[in-house]
C-alpha cells in the first residue's frame, strides 16, 4: 500500500507542523540518518527497494508518530529520577530482553547483517508502544492480542484474508498482528520461535522480535551501512514519515536506555491514523492514565436516593433505576484461531516436533479461558496422539490457548488432517494439514564377507545382515523387502532354491514389513536350502531405492579321494573265498 498521508494526518496542520519541526530538529541535533521528507511524501529510493515479502511487513498499517525528546538521555547510574526524558528511555524488562536475544541470535546466524537491538526497539516503539508498555506475561506473550485495523481498503491497504483468520481472527481481510505488527502473509514466511516453546506466535515478543530481525536482515543487508538500513526500515513500512520516526528512536535509544518493570513503559498516543492499536479498533484503557475515581451519578429527585425525602430504602439504586446488574458474563468464544502451529511433517516412527495449538478469542479479540477444544486426527493414517488416541480434549488456559498432546507419526506415510473444534459450541473449527513421510535409504551393504554356502536340505550357517545409509548417514527405521529372485534380470520370486520359513513354518521366498533398526542395521532370518543345488540370488530393497543383491550357493560336499580301511576290506572280492578255501577241511 502506498503511504496515505492525507488520510493519516487528520489532526490538522498544527500537528503536522509540530512533527515536521521536531523531525528537523532531530535531524540537525542527534539523528544524522534522518531523511528529508519530499513534498509528495514518497521516500527517496523507496520505489526501487522491494521488501522481502509482499508490499511491506505490516501492510503499511498505522503506527505511532510520537517523537523522542530532543535531547537524548544519559544512561542513568541508578533508578530514574522521573521526568519525560527518563520515562521515554525506559524499556519494559521482558521486551528489552527479547530485543537483545534477537540481536544475539542474528549476530550468530547472520553476522554480516550487524543488527542492533536498538533498531528493534525503535520499530517496536512505533508499531505497538513496546507491546503496550510491556503488557506481556512471563513468556513474552501479550496479555491481550494486538491487532491493527481491518485492511479492507477503507483508509488503508486492501488485503484479502490469507490465513483463514488463524492469526488475526478475520477470515475476510487481514490485520496486522502482535507487538511488531506483522500481517499474516508475512508472518507465514518470516515467523520464528524466539523463546523455544515450540510455537511461532506473532503476539509473543520473543517470536516477533526475532522474526523482525530476520526480515530486516533479508537480501544480504548490512545494517551498519546507511543505505541498507534505510531499505530495511522502508521494507517494514513504505513511508518516509515512518523512516524518519524510526531513525529518530534508533538514535535516541543508542544514546542510553534503562530497564523498567513490565507494564510500566510509556504509552505513546499520537498515531498516524489517530487510533490506538488495541484489540480491533477499540482503544485499550491505560490504568496509569485513568481517573483515580469514577464520577458518581447525579441524584435524581424522582428516585429514592440518600438524602432525599422519597422514603424507602437508603441503598442507592444503579443509574437508570431497576435492580442491580449482575456481574458481566464471561466472554463467549467467537473465533478459534491457529496459535502459531507451523508445518506438521514427520518421518515414519517419529513424533511431530510441532504441537498443534489454537487460541480461543471473543468477538472483541479477548482471550477466552476454560473453553474445551477437541483435537481429532482425520484421514487414512495410523498417526495418533501420545497414548494411542485418535482424539484429545484440552481446556484453554488463561491466555485462551489449548495445545494438543504430542502427535506420533506411526508407520504409514501420507497426508492427513488434525481438526480443532470447540466442544458444544458452533464455532468454525481450525484445520491443520499434516504429512507423514517415509524414511529412506539410498545404499545397502553387508556387514560380513563370508561366502553364503549351504548343502541341499540343510540350513545356512550365516545370517545375512546389512546396513542402510542415506547420503552416507545411518538410515534407521527404513522399510525393506527381501526376495529370493529368479535372476539378475528377473526380480520375481523364485519357486525353488533357498528360502526363509514363514510364521506357519512353510517356505517363504519373499519377506515384507522389514525395517532397519538402530544404526541402520537389518538382520534377516535364517535361510534354508531345498534339494535343488545351484547358485541363487537374494535381493534386498529399501524405501528410497537402496538395493543389494547377494549370491547364495547350494552344493553337495565334495567326496573324499582317499578310501577308508573298512571300504578297502569290504571291496576285495577274493579275500573271502581265499580265506574260505584255506580253511576248508578237505584241503
Amino acid at each position: 500500500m502506498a503511504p496515505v498521508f492525507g488520510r493519516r494526518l487528520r489532526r490538522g496542520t498544527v500537528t503536522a507542523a509540530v512533527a515536521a519541526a521536531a523531525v528537523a530538529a532531530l535531524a540537525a541535533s542527534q539523528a544524522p540518518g534522518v531523511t528529508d521528507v519530499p513534498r509528495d511524501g514518497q521516500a527517496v529510493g523507496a520505489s526501487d527497494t522491494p521488501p522481502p515479502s509482499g508490499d511491506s511487513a505490516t501492510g503499511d498499517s498505522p503506527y505511532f508518530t510520537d517523537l523522542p525528546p530532543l535531547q537524548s538521555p544519559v544512561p542513568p547510574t541508578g533508578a530514574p529520577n522521573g521526568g519525560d526524558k527518563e520515562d521515554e528511555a525506559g524499556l519494559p524488562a521482558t521486551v528489552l530482553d527479547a530485543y537483545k536475544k534477537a540481536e544475539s541470535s542474528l549476530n550468530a546466524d547472520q553476522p554480516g547483517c550487524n543488527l542492533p537491538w536498538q533498531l528493534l526497539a525503535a520499530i517496536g516503539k512505533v508499531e505497538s508502544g513496546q507491546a503496550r508498555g510491556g503488557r506481556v506475561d512471563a513468556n513474552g506473550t501479550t496479555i491481550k492480542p494486538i491487532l491493527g485495523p481491518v485492511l479492507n481498503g477503507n483508509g488503508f491497504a486492501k488485503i484479502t484474508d490469507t490465513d483463514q483468520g488463524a492469526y488475526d481472527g478475520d477470515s475476510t481481510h487481514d490485520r496486522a498482528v502482535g507487538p511488531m505488527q506483522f500481517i499474516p502473509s508475512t508472518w507465514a514466511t518470516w515467523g520464528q520461535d524466539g523463546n523455544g516453546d515450540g510455537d511461532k506466535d506473532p503476539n509473543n515478543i520473543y517470536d516477533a522480535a526475532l522474526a523482525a530481525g530476520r526480515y530486516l536482515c533479508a537480501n544480504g543487508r548490512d545494517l551498519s551501512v546507511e543505505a541498507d538500513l534505510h531499505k530495511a526500515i522502508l521494507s517494514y513500512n513504505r513511508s518516509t514519515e515512518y523512516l524518519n520516526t524510526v531513525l529518530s528512536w534508533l538514535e535516541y535509544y543508542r544514546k542510553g536506555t534503562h530497564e523498567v518493570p513490565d507494564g510500566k513503559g510509556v504509552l505513546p498516543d499520537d498515531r498516524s491514523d489517530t487510533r490506538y492499536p488495541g484489540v480491533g479498533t477499540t482503544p485499550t484503557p491505560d490504568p496509569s492514565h485513568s481517573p483515580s475515581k469514577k464520577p458518581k451519578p447525579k441524584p435524581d429527585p424522582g428516585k429514592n436516593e440518600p438524602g432525599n425525602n422519597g422514603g424507602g430504602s437508603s441503598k442507592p439504586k444503579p443509574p437508570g433505576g431497576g435492580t442491580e446488574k449482575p456481574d458481566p458474563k464471561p466472554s463467549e468464544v467467537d473465533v478459534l484461531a491457529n496459535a502459531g502451529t507451523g508445518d506438521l511433517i514427520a518421518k515414519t516412527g517419529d513424533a511431530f516436533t510441532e504441537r498443534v495449538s489454537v487460541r480461543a478469542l471473543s468477538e472483541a479479540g479477548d482471550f477466552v479461558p476454560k473453553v474445551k477444544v477437541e483435537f481429532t486426527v482425520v484421514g487414512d493414517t495410523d498417526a495418533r496422539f501420545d497414548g494411542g488416541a485418535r482424539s484429545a480434549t484440552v481446556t484453554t488456559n488463561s491466555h485462551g490457548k489449548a495445545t494438543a498432546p504430542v502427535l506420533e507419526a506411526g508407520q504409514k506415510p501420507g497426508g492427513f488432517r488434525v481438526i480443532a473444534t470447540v466442544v458444544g459450541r458452533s464455532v468454525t473449527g481450525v484445520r491443520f494439514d499434516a504429512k507423514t513421510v517415509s524414511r529412506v535409504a539410498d545404499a545397502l551393504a553387508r556387514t560380513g564377507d563370508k561366502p553364503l554356502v549351504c548343502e541341499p536340505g540343510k540350513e545356512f550357517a550365516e545370517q545375512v545382515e546389512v546396513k542402510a545409509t542415506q547420503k552416507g548417514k545411518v538410515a534407521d527405521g527404513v522399510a525393506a523387502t527381501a526376495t529370493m529372485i529368479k535372476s539378475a534380470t528377473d526380480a520375481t520370486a523364485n519357486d525353488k532354491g533357498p528360502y526363509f520359513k514363514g510364521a506357519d513354518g512353510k517356505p517363504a521366498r519373499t519377506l515384507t514389513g522389514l525395517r532397519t533398526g538402530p544404526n541402520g542395521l537389518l538382520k534377516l532370518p535364517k535361510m534354508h536350502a531345498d534339494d535343488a543345488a545351484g547358485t541363487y540370488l537374494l535381493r534386498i530393497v529399501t524405501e528410497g531405492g537402496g538395493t543389494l543383491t547377494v549370491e547364495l550357493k547350494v552344493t553337495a560336499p565334495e567326496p573324499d579321494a582317499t578310501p577308508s580301511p573298512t571300504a578297502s576290506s569290504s571291496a576285495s572280492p577274493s579275500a573271502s573265498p581265499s580265506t574260505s578255501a584255506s580253511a576248508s577241511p578237505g584241503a
Side-chain angles (χ1 to χ4, degrees):
M1 168 184 171
V4 189
F5 291 97
R7 293 172 183 166
R8 284 178 174 164
L9 299 180
R10 295 181 182 135
R11 295 190 177 181
T13 56
V14 174
T15 301
V18 172
V23 169
L26 282 163
S29 65
Q30 65 181 41
V34 171
T35 304
D36 290 335
V37 183
R39 288 185 178 181
D40 62 359
Q42 178 64 44
V44 177
S47 61
D48 58 1
T49 312
S53 173
D55 290 333
S56 69
T58 66
D60 291 340
S61 290
Y63 53 90
F64 287 111
T65 59
D66 299 55
L67 294 170
L70 295 182
Q71 297 299 319
S72 294
V74 176
T77 56
N81 295 319
D84 290 343
K85 182 170 63 178
E86 296 285 8
D87 289 345
E88 289 288 4
L91 294 176
T94 300
V95 175
L96 177 60
D97 184 56
Y99 295 151
K100 290 184 175 181
K101 279 184 167 58
E103 177 195 58
S104 177
S105 178
L106 266 297
N107 284 344
D109 296 345
Q110 296 176 251
C113 176
N114 296 303
L115 171 79
W117 66 260
Q118 292 90 340
L119 176 59
L120 297 176
I123 290 176
K125 177 71 172 182
V126 302
E127 291 296 345
S128 68
Q130 311 298 15
R132 296 199 191 108
R135 286 165 173 77
V136 296
D137 63 18
N139 295 319
T141 303
T142 57
I143 302 303
K144 289 186 177 182
I146 300 177
L147 300 176
V150 178
L151 299 177
N152 57 7
N154 184 18
F156 310 107
K158 183 175 182 179
I159 303 179
T160 304
D161 176 64
T162 60
D163 65 331
Q164 291 76 53
Y167 295 117
D168 55 14
D170 191 328
S171 58
T172 304
H173 296 95
D174 274 347
R175 305 170 72 170
V177 182
M180 304 303 275
Q181 289 289 277
F182 279 97
I183 54 174
S185 58
T186 308
W187 184 260
T189 301
W190 295 93
Q192 300 291 316
D193 177 13
N195 61 354
D197 65 354
D199 287 338
K200 297 177 182 178
D201 184 356
N203 275 302
N204 181 277
I205 186 59
Y206 287 99
D207 297 356
L210 182 57
R214 295 200 184 284
Y215 182 92
L216 294 165
C217 287
N219 298 334
R221 297 191 188 103
D222 180 355
L223 301 182
S224 65
V225 176
E226 185 178 68
D228 280 1
L229 174 63
H230 287 199
K231 289 178 182 179
I233 297 170
L234 287 168
S235 77
Y236 217 88
N237 194 312
R238 298 177 67 82
S239 158
T240 302
E241 180 193 37
Y242 182 86
L243 171 65
N244 290 335
T245 306
V246 170
L247 288 173
S248 298
W249 284 108
L250 169 61
E251 186 68 14
Y252 180 78
Y253 288 141
R254 277 176 166 165
K255 294 293 179 68
T257 61
H258 60 270
E259 182 181 298
V260 298
D262 289 342
K264 299 298 182 181
V266 174
L267 286 173
D269 56 11
D270 190 7
R271 282 177 59 82
S272 59
D273 71 334
T274 75
R275 284 202 297 270
Y276 187 86
V279 179
T281 57
T282 303
T284 299
D286 178 10
S288 64
H289 294 86
S290 299
S292 58
K293 294 182 180 180
K294 295 182 180 180
K296 295 181 180 180
K298 294 181 179 180
D300 184 345
K303 302 293 181 181
N304 292 330
E305 300 290 348
N308 287 344
N309 296 321
S313 172
S314 62
K315 184 178 180 181
K317 292 185 178 181
T323 58
E324 261 188 274
K325 293 183 179 179
D327 291 336
K329 294 181 179 179
S331 297
E332 290 289 335
V333 60
D334 187 67
V335 175
L336 195 63
N338 183 343
T341 305
D343 293 335
L344 293 171
I345 301 176
K347 292 181 179 179
T348 52
D350 278 358
F352 286 80
T353 55
E354 284 281 333
R355 298 273 295 275
V356 181
S357 61
V358 294
R359 201 179 298 277
L361 303 172
S362 69
E363 186 177 5
D366 294 329
F367 299 142
V368 183
K370 299 181 180 180
V371 173
K372 290 185 177 181
V373 177
E374 184 176 46
F375 299 91
T376 306
V377 177
V378 178
D380 185 14
T381 178
D382 60 352
R384 297 292 185 270
F385 291 115
D386 188 21
R390 198 170 184 117
S391 64
T393 300
V394 180
T395 302
T396 58
N397 62 17
S398 59
H399 297 294
K401 187 175 182 180
T403 301
V406 173
L407 185 63
E408 305 283 353
Q411 298 297 339
K412 187 171 184 176
F416 62 97
R417 291 172 179 171
V418 177
I419 307 294
T421 55
V422 178
V423 177
R425 304 188 192 181
S426 57
V427 176
T428 302
V430 182
R431 182 186 69 188
F432 300 87
D433 291 325
K435 187 177 183 180
T436 300
V437 296
S438 299
R439 292 171 175 268
V440 296
D442 57 16
L444 284 171
R446 277 190 69 193
T447 59
D449 56 4
K450 290 184 179 180
L452 298 167
V453 181
C454 184
E455 294 180 23
K458 293 190 176 181
E459 182 182 276
F460 282 82
E462 294 290 325
Q463 285 180 255
V464 176
E465 185 181 64
V466 297
K467 184 174 183 178
T469 55
Q470 171 67 15
K471 295 182 179 180
K473 295 183 179 180
V474 168
D476 61 329
V478 180
T481 301
T483 307
M484 303 291 183
I485 61 175
K486 288 184 176 180
S487 70
T489 58
D490 186 355
T492 56
N494 213 333
D495 55 2
K496 62 180 179 178
Y499 61 90
F500 302 101
K501 283 187 177 180
D504 56 2
K506 295 181 179 179
R509 292 186 170 88
T510 298
L511 295 179
T512 59
L514 303 173
R515 198 170 297 276
T516 60
N519 300 318
L521 297 178
L522 171 62
K523 193 169 188 176
L524 299 182
K526 291 182 178 181
M527 299 181 295
H528 306 266
D530 62 10
D531 294 332
T535 300
Y536 299 91
L537 297 177
L538 165 66
R539 180 166 291 173
I540 307 166
V541 180
T542 66
E543 188 78 32
T547 303
L548 178 67
T549 303
V550 181
E551 186 176 82
L552 309 175
K553 288 187 177 181
V554 178
T555 180
E558 295 181 4
D560 192 339
T562 303
S564 65
T566 304
S568 299
S569 173
S570 61
S572 175
S574 60
S576 182
S578 173
T579 302
S580 299
S582 63
S584 173

